[in-house]
Amino acid sequence: MKIGLIGNPNVGKSLIFHQLTGIGVEVSNYPGTTVDLFSGTLCYRKERIDLVDLPGIYSLEGKSPEEEIVRNFITGEEVEGLVAVLDATHLERNLYLLLQVAEYKKPLVVVLNMMDEAEKRGIEIDREKLSSIIGTEVIPVTATQGKNVGEIIPAILFRSRTPDITIPYDLHIEAAIRTLVSVHGISRVVALQALQGMVDDPGIAESAGTLAREIEEVHRMSVQQIIAGNRHRCARVIAEKVIRKREEVTAGSLDTLLTSRVWGPVILCAVLAAILLSVFSIGSYLEEFLVGSFESLIVQPFLSLGLEPLPEQIGLAILLALQAGLGIAFPFIFTFYIFISILEDSGYLTRAAFLADSTMHRLGMHGQGIIPLILGFGCNVPAIMGLRLLRTRRERVIASFLVSMIPCSARTVIIAGIVAVFVGFGAALSIYVITFGLIILTGIVLSRITPGERYGMILELSPLRVPEPGNVLAKSWYRIREFLVIAMPLLVAASIVLGLLQYIGFFSLFAELVAPFSETILGLPGYAASALLFGILRKEMALETLVILSGTADLASVLTAGQIYVFAVVSVLFIPCISTIAVLVKVVGARITFLVSLYTLILGICIGALINILVV
Amino acid sequence: MKTSAGEDILEAACLLLEKEKSIPTVRKVAGRLSEDEDRVRKEALELEKGGFLRLEEGDIIELSEKGREAGLRTIQKHTVLERFLSEILGMERAAASEEACILEHDISDETADRLEGFIAVPRGRGRRLQRGRRRLLTLADVPEGTDLRVVTVRCRGGYERLADLGILPGETIRVVHILNHKAVVVRVKGCDVALSPEIASSILVERLQ
């Protein structure tokens, strides 16, 4: 039996989902998109239930990928029931979506979440009345305390009903629906969609288009606006009937401070800086421990097996890839995601987006664009996946360039590992300054030359809440899993290829070939250029390879401070790592990926050469 | 009393006088309106009684000050309606002109002025102050803490999301926050929604008393 959880964003849907399904959750990419669907299986009295957590949406009739997926899901044959999760503190707004869901005539159970908060605000909801108006069972739930969550499954299994509420639309809309239904033999829902230009069938689309134009002429409003207005009015009427007491919500003083003109940006910068600093201090400590134990427990015993050279090379390549992946994934990226999930669940991330809107405008994006950019500091891979948040292709293209240039944790390892150690703290900081300067410049230029539509930001600020530790961990885990699933296999494969190349002696050949070029332009010895090549596999591997190829961990004895600096700048800037390239292809296509790689390659070499000429 | 047929005559006479610099006669007016000369003459006599014009020798129409004003007013209404129908609503020019001929008689002076103001506001941000006309209030023009009613939502791309969140004509909203570059946070249906400047400036509002 397949059941979907449906609701607005930030209504506690995911929390209910996790509480119902526990940890056995599958993440699947819906075909053709990058929107994730979480599904989990649970058993109740020998009945097997597949529960799907649908993405949070405001409407069922929009064009965004999320809305399309939810629409396809609930019109699907195999769906046997829906659980609509409503935020009891914002009932009226949530009823808008519920009314749309009700039109699809699927067996339904309504869950009123956040009852504790509603009670605190003095909101009383007459559940019986709501239940009789909508025609389904209404369950009051406080998901943060797990209260009544257990009622949901028995209710959907045994007591779900098809809702019998009908939204009264404007006379003209109703007339048009009747015409379409009788002429084309379609359902009321399809007729409504056709009027809003969402049906592909040419015959239906044509007559619906004619009717819609007539209605728009009379009303001087678009059909979508009229329909939305009717639904909102219906939602308001219901809300007025069932809510006994209502209190005007005033913005808390904390909220006012967080979004204030003066302090807002200061707090935002402080929060980001604090997160980055803590991630790297916690991360480097954990990494040392993890990589060290992996080395002594697995790599050393493997080497002592004394295998043939070829299998040994391949085995070592696999182990090194695993070691590197784990060494970066858990200490840095996972820690980073915990912080980001806290920011997200507390509702601060949407405020950050609002505050950043003005700055992001100059870079050709909107406030939401800051979220993937921040994620990029952890790892570029999930940040690129996060680009689906952006609504236009234009913004996604610009952001894909900028995110690929953000110094992720691996690049920070290089900067901290060699520049800060061998050259100095100021020099390490200056690499950040150079990188950010280039990111800003790139953004300004791209915002001028990238074609495509511009949309403004329309973003609901989610209420400020204390995050739930369980939910934060679950979210971070799903995010890190994205990294493990996509990046790890690539890492292993690429590592094997590089291992084989090394086995056949490609690298000494490459070093020889590239040496004249790298010595004249970048002032770097040939083996440093080979090390840069390894950086494509995974950024901080450039550093490890450099250490191996130069034959000493004390780089200052073989390279000058200038050479180390140039090496770091080039490896930070040039070509995103292979995993980033793979997701880029998936999200923005091969052409843009190629452009991003080419651009960063040229940029890296040019800036490196420039520093080499000017400074060294 | 002037009828719509009477207004048509005043309008046509005015156009002949102002635009084509020719002396309006019953025949020329009838020609412009594709009307029967006798009917025009009959209507003109009615207008003469109202003091809008005088019929001189040789069917020459001489407009009084009152008649000229009424004629110009009708021309203005016609132009505004025609522009509104074609430029804003996207109708064909010819069809818009025909429609304007019918509508021009019924709309009030205020509606015509407001429509003109509406058309005069350019879409982009920043250019709004160029015209001296009474400008329409947008969400980007009001201070924090103001309660407002949405009048029109004019932005094209993605305004379905605005409607879904409850920002549509007739809804009451409150401006909660404004940032320096005019991004705003509005409270609608108890939820806070952040809007970037170009969206805020395309939402026309009026203050609630």
Side-chain angles (χ1 to χ4, degrees):
Chain A
M1 180 165 186
K2 203 168 187 176
I3 305 285
L5 271 175
I6 192 168
N8 280 359
N10 297 309
V11 292
K13 227 159 26 74
S14 305
L15 193 57
I16 292 176
F17 175 75
H18 293 318
Q19 288 181 354
L20 288 176
T21 56
I23 44 166
V25 173
E26 279 171 45
V27 189
S28 59
N29 267 334
Y30 205 79
T33 66
T34 52
V35 179
D36 293 327
L37 282 184
F38 294 107
S39 64
T41 312
L42 59 121
C43 275
Y44 184 85
R45 292 200 198 159
K46 291 182 184 163
E47 179 90 45
R48 189 190 133 103
I49 301 164
D50 289 318
L51 194 65
V52 180
D53 186 15
L54 298 165
I57 49 167
Y58 294 108
S59 164
L60 274 174
E61 283 164 7
K63 294 179 194 94
S64 77
E66 284 87 358
E67 287 161 334
E68 266 168 37
I69 281 169
V70 178
R71 201 159 58 229
N72 290 340
F73 179 87
I74 68 174
T75 46
E77 287 295 314
E78 72 274 28
V79 181
E80 288 175 67
L82 291 171
V83 178
V85 184
L86 272 57
D87 173 358
T89 57
H90 297 117
L91 187 63
E92 186 183 328
R93 229 279 305 284
N94 281 249
L95 279 171
Y96 177 79
L97 179 67
L98 178 68
L99 287 172
Q100 289 189 44
V101 173
E103 287 183 328
Y104 285 80
K105 301 287 176 207
K106 287 273 177 188
L108 188 73
V109 165
V110 175
V111 168
L112 277 181
N113 192 19
M114 307 195 191
M115 288 305 287
D116 57 335
E117 213 163 308
E119 237 163 73
K120 243 185 261 166
R121 294 196 197 165
I123 302 169
E124 259 179 71
I125 297 171
D126 188 339
R127 291 198 311 279
E128 267 106 68
K129 206 174 221 168
L130 183 61
S131 166
S132 72
I133 292 173
I134 296 167
T136 64
E137 183 158 335
V138 176
I139 309 168
V141 159
T142 306
T144 48
Q145 298 162 12
K147 209 166 139 192
N148 263 357
V149 173
E151 299 276 306
I152 297 173
I153 293 301
I156 189 75
L157 275 181
F158 307 116
R159 300 193 295 275
S160 68
R161 271 176 285 165
T162 312
D164 54 11
I165 184 165
T166 320
I167 307 169
Y169 288 106
D170 173 89
L171 286 177
H172 298 101
I173 302 273
E174 288 286 359
I177 294 173
R178 274 196 300 277
T179 311
L180 286 172
V181 168
S182 62
V183 172
H184 295 282
I186 51 179
S187 69
R188 191 179 159 89
V189 180
V190 179
L192 271 167
Q193 290 177 349
L195 281 175
Q196 298 177 75
M198 291 162 50
V199 171
D200 291 329
D201 182 280
I204 301 174
E206 200 194 318
S207 42
T210 318
L211 288 166
R213 271 193 296 282
E214 277 170 22
I215 296 170
E216 286 176 358
E217 245 163 67
V218 178
H219 284 259
R220 298 275 178 258
M221 264 204 251
S222 73
V223 169
Q224 284 94 339
Q225 274 184 320
I226 304 168
I227 291 176
N230 295 152
R231 286 176 179 153
H232 276 302
R233 193 180 323 126
C234 184
R236 167 171 302 167
V237 170
I238 297 175
E240 274 164 6
K241 276 186 196 158
V242 300
I243 297 178
R244 286 208 204 103
K245 190 179 158 198
R246 205 182 251 230
E247 245 171 50
E248 175 64 12
V249 192
T250 46
S253 52
L254 179 65
D255 202 2
T256 317
L257 180 72
L258 289 180
T259 50
S260 83
R261 276 180 219 193
V262 186
W263 291 107
V266 176
I267 295 172
L268 176 60
C269 292
V271 166
L272 292 183
I275 288 181
L276 292 180
L277 277 177
S278 7
V279 166
F280 292 116
S281 46
I282 297 171
S284 48
Y285 176 75
L286 286 177
E287 192 205 18
E288 221 163 281
F289 173 73
L290 268 178
V291 171
S293 16
F294 195 88
E295 182 77 29
S296 59
L297 291 178
I298 299 173
V299 179
Q300 291 307 334
F302 174 77
L303 287 176
S304 63
L305 284 178
L307 295 170
E308 295 287 308
L310 183 62
E312 182 171 63
Q313 186 73 50
I314 293 174
L316 191 63
I318 294 173
L319 287 182
L320 281 180
L322 289 176
Q323 183 185 30
L326 294 177
I328 197 85
F330 287 98
F332 293 103
I333 306 181
F334 190 65
T335 321
F336 185 76
Y337 284 154
I338 288 183
F339 282 104
I340 289 297
S341 304
I342 291 174
L343 282 196
E344 190 176 44
D345 280 14
S346 64
Y348 185 70
L349 215 49
T350 51
R351 280 158 188 80
F354 170 63
L355 287 170
D357 190 54
S358 139
T359 319
M360 298 304 290
H361 255 78
R362 307 226 170 95
L363 305 183
M365 285 187 277
H366 293 283
Q368 286 111 313
I370 199 174
I371 297 172
L373 288 187
I374 295 176
L375 285 176
F377 282 100
C379 174
N380 288 178
V381 172
I384 300 278
M385 291 176 168
L387 295 187
R388 59 163 188 253
L389 279 169
L390 306 177
R391 282 162 63 214
T392 59
R393 177 159 171 83
R394 186 188 127 88
E395 282 178 81
R396 284 196 290 271
V397 167
I398 295 177
S400 64
F401 275 87
L402 303 190
V403 168
S404 310
M405 293 170 70
I406 291 272
C408 61
S409 41
R411 283 178 251 196
T412 304
V413 168
I414 299 183
I415 299 173
I418 61 171
V419 181
V421 172
F422 297 113
V423 186
F425 188 70
L429 220 55
S430 74
I431 295 187
Y432 277 108
V433 175
I434 292 173
T435 315
F436 290 140
L438 287 171
I439 290 175
I440 291 168
L441 271 177
T442 309
I444 292 172
V445 172
L446 283 176
S447 72
R448 304 261 155 96
I449 60 169
T450 315
E453 276 180 282
R454 294 161 187 250
Y455 278 149
M457 168 182 68
I458 306 172
L459 178 69
E460 191 194 351
L461 299 183
S462 38
L464 287 177
R465 291 191 190 119
V466 180
E468 288 295 307
N471 215 26
V472 166
L473 272 176
K475 262 189 188 169
S476 315
W477 171 240
Y478 294 130
R479 288 212 163 106
I480 194 77
R481 223 158 64 166
E482 282 184 339
F483 172 83
L484 293 178
V485 168
I486 292 189
M488 277 306 243
L490 278 166
L491 267 177
V492 173
S495 185
I496 292 174
V497 171
L498 284 178
L500 286 175
L501 287 176
Q502 197 168 12
Y503 181 74
I504 59 169
F506 173 79
F507 283 106
S508 44
L509 198 67
F510 179 80
E512 249 169 65
L513 277 176
V514 89
F517 165 80
S518 82
E519 269 164 28
T520 44
I521 296 185
L522 299 174
L524 293 175
Y527 63 81
S530 308
L532 283 177
L533 202 63
F534 271 93
I536 301 176
L537 178 57
R538 197 171 52 84
K539 284 289 178 177
E540 95 273 21
M541 211 139 147
L543 167 62
E544 286 151 20
T545 318
L546 184 68
V547 170
I548 296 167
L549 292 179
S550 66
T552 169
D554 183 21
L555 290 172
S557 64
V558 286
L559 294 170
T560 67
Q563 282 177 316
I564 292 177
Y565 189 79
V566 170
F567 178 83
V569 169
V570 176
S571 63
V572 165
L573 286 177
F574 104 134
I575 303 198
C577 67
I578 191 134
S579 326
T580 309
I581 292 179
V583 250
L584 270 174
V585 171
K586 211 172 141 194
V587 175
V588 289
R591 201 174 64 90
I592 298 294
T593 310
F594 176 72
L595 287 177
V596 170
S597 311
L598 190 70
Y599 173 72
T600 46
L601 176 65
I602 293 172
L603 192 70
I605 292 175
C606 287
I607 300 293
L610 205 66
I611 294 172
N612 182 36
I613 293 163
L614 291 178
V615 186
V616 182
Chain B
M1 251 321 280
K2 53 184 200 287
T3 58
S4 53
E7 276 183 351
D8 279 338
I9 291 169
L10 292 172
E11 185 186 5
C14 240
L15 274 175
L16 284 167
L17 206 60
E18 303 280 325
K19 291 262 168 67
E20 294 175 22
K21 304 284 174 214
S22 70
I23 313 245
T25 62
V26 170
R27 169 177 295 172
K28 283 187 203 162
V29 167
R32 276 196 81 92
L33 297 174
S34 323
E35 272 278 1
D36 190 63
E37 272 183 49
D38 291 335
R39 287 192 56 187
V40 171
R41 193 173 293 111
K42 206 176 132 214
E43 207 61 52
L45 285 169
E46 286 294 313
L47 287 169
E48 194 168 18
K49 281 180 206 155
F52 289 99
L53 53 77
R54 282 210 337 258
L55 264 178
E56 300 283 323
E57 282 294 305
D59 275 353
I60 289 173
I61 296 173
E62 199 180 304
L63 291 172
S64 68
E65 197 45 45
K66 192 172 153 195
R68 218 175 80 88
E69 255 174 40
L72 287 175
R73 186 87 218 181
T74 314
I75 294 173
Q76 179 229 354
K77 285 179 181 174
H78 181 99
T79 330
V80 165
L81 283 165
E82 189 183 313
R83 282 190 57 198
F84 179 72
L85 294 173
S86 61
E87 289 169 23
I88 310 283
L89 302 184
M91 282 174 71
E92 296 260 347
R93 257 297 161 185
S97 179
E98 224 166 86
E99 190 82 19
C101 280
I102 301 165
L103 292 172
E104 68 193 18
H105 306 298
D106 290 331
I107 72 167
S108 66
D109 293 356
E110 192 193 348
T111 310
D113 283 345
R114 279 181 185 266
L115 260 185
E116 193 167 13
F118 177 74
I119 298 170
V121 182
R123 301 223 157 177
R125 204 157 63 87
R127 280 175 294 168
R128 222 179 310 110
L129 291 167
Q130 280 174 8
R131 303 234 176 174
R133 268 189 180 286
R134 179 176 47 184
R135 60 200 181 87
L136 292 144
L137 203 60
T138 76
L139 203 48
D141 304 323
V142 287
E144 283 179 11
T146 327
D147 286 313
L148 303 160
R149 177 179 290 116
V150 179
V151 178
T152 323
V153 177
R154 276 195 294 149
C155 45
R156 280 270 150 227
Y159 73 118
E160 294 92 348
R161 172 64 51 86
L162 285 177
D164 293 335
L165 289 170
I167 302 175
L168 38 80
E171 197 69 49
T172 52
I173 58 177
R174 168 182 284 175
V175 178
V176 186
H177 274 303
I178 302 175
L179 284 195
N180 289 334
H181 74 305
K182 296 285 184 195
V184 295
V185 175
V186 293
R187 177 156 305 147
V188 49
K189 297 184 182 293
C191 305
D192 287 349
V193 178
L195 304 171
S196 53
E198 62 271 48
I199 295 200
S201 60
S202 61
I203 297 174
L204 303 186
V205 291
E206 60 187 20
R207 281 172 211 269
L208 283 182
Q209 294 311 314

